[in-house]
Amino acid sequence: MSKWDKLLKHIYLLSKDLRFNELRKVLESYGYEMKSPKSGSSHYTFRKEKCNPITIPKHEPIKRIYVEMVKQIVESEEKKNENAE
């Protein structure tokens, strides 16, 4: 199993030990761009054209609610890929 597959598995299982950079890697692989926070905030916003933005605080470990949000994005992106084939 590749590192990517393991990372997706952790997301699907809503793992409690995911790190910010792991979620960032997943979001960026689906075309989201990270916007740095202003004024010393720890919340980073990921944006993609025609998609709702997602804001994730850079705290370790990431809370389950943010992992669930990324899981929904992964699932919707995989459905798009299946429909395109």
Side-chain angles (χ1 to χ4, degrees):
M1 182 180 287
S2 70
K3 287 183 180 182
W4 178 254
D5 292 333
K6 287 180 183 178
L7 179 56
L8 291 181
K9 181 180 176 182
H10 278 54
I11 290 172
Y12 278 113
L13 295 175
L14 302 175
S15 179
K16 294 181 180 180
D17 63 345
L18 285 167
R19 301 286 178 223
F20 178 84
N21 285 334
E22 293 171 326
L23 295 184
R24 175 183 176 184
K25 180 179 177 181
V26 170
L27 290 170
E28 287 178 343
S29 74
Y30 289 118
Y32 283 79
E33 293 182 18
M34 185 177 80
K35 302 293 180 190
S36 298
K38 296 180 181 177
S39 309
S41 175
S42 63
H43 289 67
Y44 289 78
T45 301
F46 294 86
R47 297 183 186 279
K48 181 178 178 181
E49 190 174 319
K50 298 182 182 179
C51 295
N52 291 331
I54 178 173
T55 301
I56 302 175
K58 190 174 184 179
H59 299 273
E60 307 287 339
I62 301 295
K63 290 184 179 179
R64 181 182 175 134
I65 186 70
Y66 300 109
V67 178
E68 289 174 356
M69 292 164 64
V70 173
K71 178 183 174 189
Q72 290 175 353
I73 290 170
V74 170
E75 289 173 342
S76 69
E77 291 292 334
E78 287 183 356
K79 285 182 184 178
K80 287 179 190 176
N81 291 339
E82 289 175 5
N83 292 337
E85 293 176 354

